[in-house]
Amino acid sequence: MRKIIAAALSVLVGVTGLTACENTAAPISTPTSTPPATIHTELPDREDSDHNTTVTQTQELDDLEQFITSKLTGEYGVYTNLLETDQSAEAASGHEVLSESASLSMLAAVRSGQQERFAEEWKLAKQTFDMNSGFSYRYSLKQQKLYPLNAAVDDLRMIRALYEAGDKFGDERYTAEADKYGERFYKYNVKNGNVYDFYDENYKITNSFVTLCYINLGTLLKLSIPSQISINLSNHLKNILEDGYLSDEFPFYETRFNYETGNYSSENINTVESLLSILALAEVDQQKSTSIDFIKQQVEAGTLYGQYSREGKPLNDIRSTAIYAITAMIGAEIGDESLYHKSIERMNEFRVTDVGSPLYGGFGDVASGQAYSFDNLMALLAYVY
């Protein structure tokens, strides 16, 4: 049994990547200026947004969608990275595709009201990732390999997108599918009232912990399970998430909680992970004001870095597209227009604005030619959030 668990956990390394909630390493982006462009995609209106701000952001969205569709997408979905590899590394790379990307694409499509595009994204996601027990987190065409385990965070995001599509497009078929896949998620990823990061279809096991940024409270409440079980499950996970709060001095969150030991653990604090935890709390109106104040201060100063010590000391000076995309989502979720717009402004510092560049309209490193799915899809979602 130990050999089986070890084998399954070795596969999990590929799921966790650089950060548990981000399946690919985030690139170091070089700030650039933002030029005007043309666009036709509609954005949600914001009460304090003037016409020029809305038009500019809509132009940026159009260019980003064009980059993702024409440069970063292949037959099976959005590439993990624009630069191809042999796809043999432990972490996803090159033109491998991730359920993470599919779920973000689905959510962006429904949030922007693109019904036909949502249908296409969902059809492709099912064809590429659907297994008996969940959605495979990763597919490699070169290796002809569908990885036999899911990532709870991505399954929940797909289910969330289906529920939103059912409401947005008035299509009960999406709601029915959300119920079906929610029931499957509960069957395989929830044991004894605990949500686990993955279920391995080959070995029929889960891991022993939950990564806090995998906890999507809003979606857990929507699962098609008896209401009292749903409430108990959500409250239990909310307590785990809230108790992972580090301190008022550094108002971020622990990385994971081990059900067997009852302990939290974090090597260092990855900003993307903590921000996603804060976003999950904000979606159910349980965010801490100290966290929001800290985020606002760092976004205003442009000093929200990729990784910190548990005491809040920056461990690098990396600022990434995804970080500011998530703070924009937090701002939108709590109705803080100032935080939303400032975050978008910071995020756009990383846009590629050289019309002669292959990366034009996207987010990536011009020097190396790298452009990651997570950065670009998070930016896309932030624009339409």
Side-chain angles (χ1 to χ4, degrees):
M1 183 64 180
R2 289 181 180 177
K3 289 182 178 180
I4 292 176
I5 294 174
L9 289 177
S10 70
V11 177
L12 179 62
V13 173
V15 181
T16 56
L18 178 68
T19 66
C21 295
E22 174 188 357
N23 294 336
T24 57
I28 302 174
S29 303
T30 303
T32 56
S33 59
T34 304
T38 56
I39 179 60
H40 307 289
T41 306
E42 293 183 356
L43 281 175
D45 291 331
R46 297 187 179 277
E47 292 182 2
D48 70 343
S49 302
D50 60 30
H51 175 72
N52 289 336
T53 299
T54 302
V55 169
T56 300
Q57 187 168 309
T58 308
Q59 293 169 345
E60 292 157 353
L61 171 61
D62 187 60
D63 289 339
L64 177 56
E65 286 186 327
Q66 178 64 25
F67 170 73
I68 292 172
T69 302
S70 64
K71 300 291 180 63
L72 202 57
T73 301
E75 180 182 0
Y76 296 96
V78 178
Y79 300 144
T80 298
N81 188 352
L82 184 59
L83 288 186
E84 179 62 299
T85 65
D86 63 7
Q87 302 180 12
S88 62
E90 288 184 331
S93 65
H95 291 184
E96 291 183 86
V97 292
L98 299 166
S99 63
E100 170 186 84
S101 300
S103 64
L104 289 170
S105 296
M106 288 170 60
L107 200 53
V110 70
R111 292 289 175 93
S112 58
Q114 299 180 70
Q115 187 169 359
E116 184 176 341
R117 179 171 178 177
F118 178 85
E120 293 171 353
E121 296 286 0
W122 173 226
K123 180 180 179 180
L124 183 59
K126 282 193 291 185
Q127 290 175 345
T128 304
F129 300 108
D130 198 19
M131 305 184 297
N132 291 328
S133 59
F135 296 102
S136 168
Y137 88 96
R138 174 182 175 187
Y139 173 67
S140 167
L141 177 60
K142 277 190 174 181
Q143 300 294 328
Q144 287 291 294
K145 182 175 182 179
L146 184 69
Y147 287 74
L149 63 161
N150 70 338
V153 63
D154 302 325
D155 281 29
L156 287 173
R157 194 185 292 116
M158 281 194 193
I159 294 166
R160 174 69 165 272
L162 286 167
Y163 276 125
E164 291 193 14
D167 291 339
K168 182 85 170 182
F169 306 132
D171 193 332
E172 294 181 356
R173 292 173 299 176
Y174 289 136
T175 303
E177 286 190 288
D179 287 343
K180 180 181 74 171
Y181 288 111
E183 290 168 4
R184 181 178 73 176
F185 178 86
Y186 183 79
K187 178 180 179 179
Y188 290 102
N189 280 84
V190 180
K191 305 293 181 184
N192 301 317
N194 297 321
V195 171
Y196 292 88
D197 280 8
F198 74 86
Y199 179 83
D200 188 303
E201 188 160 286
N202 286 352
Y203 293 106
K204 315 299 182 188
I205 61 171
T206 65
N207 58 331
S208 61
F209 58 84
V210 64
T211 302
L212 267 61
C213 59
Y214 276 37
I215 300 174
N216 189 320
L217 297 170
T219 306
L220 290 173
L221 282 168
K222 290 178 175 290
L223 293 183
S224 181
I225 56 179
S227 59
Q228 194 56 53
I229 293 177
S230 174
I231 292 170
N232 291 342
L233 177 66
S234 299
N235 285 338
H236 174 51
L237 271 295
K238 181 172 78 73
N239 290 336
I240 288 175
L241 184 49
E242 290 180 330
D243 289 347
Y245 181 73
L246 290 170
S247 70
D248 287 346
E249 290 69 36
F250 183 49
F252 274 9
Y253 287 80
E254 295 274 11
T255 300
R256 67 190 67 85
F257 178 78
N258 189 298
Y259 294 116
E260 295 177 355
T261 66
N263 294 325
Y264 292 91
S265 62
S266 308
E267 289 71 40
N268 293 306
I269 306 302
N270 293 309
T271 299
V272 162
E273 294 178 346
S274 276
L275 290 177
L276 288 173
S277 293
I278 294 167
L279 177 61
L281 288 167
E283 288 177 346
V284 293
D285 198 28
Q286 296 296 313
Q287 72 278 6
K288 285 185 132 334
S289 60
T290 47
S291 296
I292 301 302
D293 290 343
F294 177 82
I295 290 169
K296 292 182 71 170
Q297 291 168 6
Q298 301 306 315
V299 169
E300 183 66 33
T303 55
L304 196 52
Y305 299 121
Q307 192 176 74
Y308 292 84
S309 69
R310 290 172 53 84
E311 294 71 38
K313 178 183 178 181
L315 298 180
N316 59 44
D317 60 357
I318 295 174
R319 301 183 311 134
S320 76
T321 301
I323 285 174
Y324 291 113
I326 301 169
T327 61
M329 296 178 207
I330 293 171
E333 195 64 48
I334 65 175
D336 191 322
E337 293 290 341
S338 175
L339 175 57
Y340 177 82
H341 289 300
K342 190 62 181 181
S343 296
I344 293 293
E345 180 183 319
R346 291 296 184 194
M347 184 184 80
N348 282 341
E349 293 175 4
F350 303 106
R351 286 186 70 242
V352 177
T353 59
D354 178 2
V355 294
S357 170
L359 305 186
Y360 173 70
F363 294 82
D365 180 31
V366 174
S368 66
Q370 296 190 97
Y372 286 86
S373 57
F374 190 74
D375 274 333
N376 283 275
L377 291 172
M378 278 294 186
L380 180 67
L381 185 56
Y383 282 142
V384 300
Y385 211 81

